[in-house]
Amino acid sequence: AMGLTSYHLMGHSLGGKVAMQMAGDAVHTISKLIIVDIAPRLYPPHHTKILDALTELPLAQIRGRSDADKRLREAIPDAGIRGFLLKSLQRSSSNDYRWRFDLAGLKRDYDAMRLSPEFRQPVHAPTLFIKGANSDYLGAQDEQAIRAHFKHPHFKEIGGTGHWPHAEKPALFTRICQEFLEQNVLSKAPDNDSIN
């Protein structure tokens, strides 16, 4: 819509899958690509319990975010995940609560979102994969599939972070991304780089 012919693209988790899909389509000219804590593979359905808990939350009865947090605690014990999700809980104009995201659509299309992106062509754009050290979304077992689709992959791991390295260590994450975008990464031999 903006008429861009070349651009950098970054995506985290499902956004990373979308970015990989775009890079693998023949119609996009991506200069550099950054994929955050996700791999080009099928993932197990480990979000089903979360989606069910969000669906069962009685939004008409919620008195505030702290009330929603309390009601979700049993189904979603991780306070960080609850906090992340509750950022998308908002008041509507009629003063009740609703989700900013399409929860029904996420539930409906969840199986499709778990799939690996489809690549019509190899991705020649230099691509940086950033892994949260404590996350299991991206690991050494994914390197072969990455190298099969990405001709210039590079890998960075951010210690002390999980699936949200950009939120957990934003200054370091930003510096890593800026350095990647500013350097001539093709001069670096990709074989010297691997997932830890």
Side-chain angles (χ1 to χ4, degrees):
M2 295 174 65
L4 299 175
T5 57
S6 180
Y7 52 91
H8 303 313
L9 187 61
M10 176 192 301
H12 165 255
S13 199
L14 178 59
K17 281 193 171 185
V18 171
M20 286 188 267
Q21 182 69 60
M22 289 178 66
D25 287 344
V27 297
H28 298 280
T29 307
I30 297 170
S31 301
K32 289 184 181 176
L33 183 65
I34 299 174
I35 305 298
V36 185
D37 212 53
I38 199 77
R41 66 170 156 100
L42 170 69
Y43 281 82
H46 58 266
H47 294 98
T48 305
K49 188 174 179 181
I50 292 173
L51 293 170
D52 289 343
L54 296 178
T55 302
E56 293 165 9
L57 187 67
L59 294 177
Q61 300 171 18
I62 296 299
R63 293 184 305 275
R65 277 202 177 98
S66 61
D67 181 30
D69 183 66
K70 187 173 159 184
R71 291 174 187 248
L72 291 170
R73 196 169 292 148
E74 185 177 335
I76 307 172
D78 186 303
I81 293 174
R82 285 196 317 275
F84 172 75
L85 293 167
L86 290 171
K87 286 181 177 182
S88 293
L89 186 64
Q90 69 177 29
R91 279 193 194 271
S92 71
S93 57
S94 58
N95 215 27
D96 57 353
Y97 283 92
R98 66 183 184 93
W99 295 109
R100 292 178 196 260
F101 49 78
D102 179 7
L103 180 57
L106 289 171
K107 282 194 76 167
R108 182 191 63 235
D109 297 329
Y110 183 58
D111 286 338
M113 289 184 282
R114 295 186 307 108
L115 297 173
S116 175
E118 295 179 6
F119 294 89
R120 294 184 190 174
Q121 63 182 13
V123 178
H124 291 279
T127 304
L128 174 63
F129 286 84
I130 299 176
K131 173 184 172 30
N134 302 329
S135 171
D136 60 2
Y137 278 78
L138 178 62
Q141 74 277 7
D142 298 310
E143 191 168 339
Q144 183 177 355
I146 288 169
R147 291 190 184 278
H149 297 293
F150 297 86
K151 298 309 170 190
H152 304 286
H154 301 269
F155 307 95
K156 289 284 184 186
E157 182 176 282
I158 300 180
T161 66
H163 186 54
W164 294 282
H166 55 290
E168 295 170 73
K169 292 198 177 175
L172 177 58
F173 179 85
T174 300
R175 182 171 53 80
I176 288 169
C177 292
Q178 285 176 329
E179 288 174 358
F180 174 74
L181 293 173
E182 291 169 1
Q183 68 180 329
N184 180 5
V185 292
L186 288 181
S187 63
K188 182 178 181 183
D191 291 338
N192 295 338
D193 221 353
S194 64
I195 301 174
N196 293 328

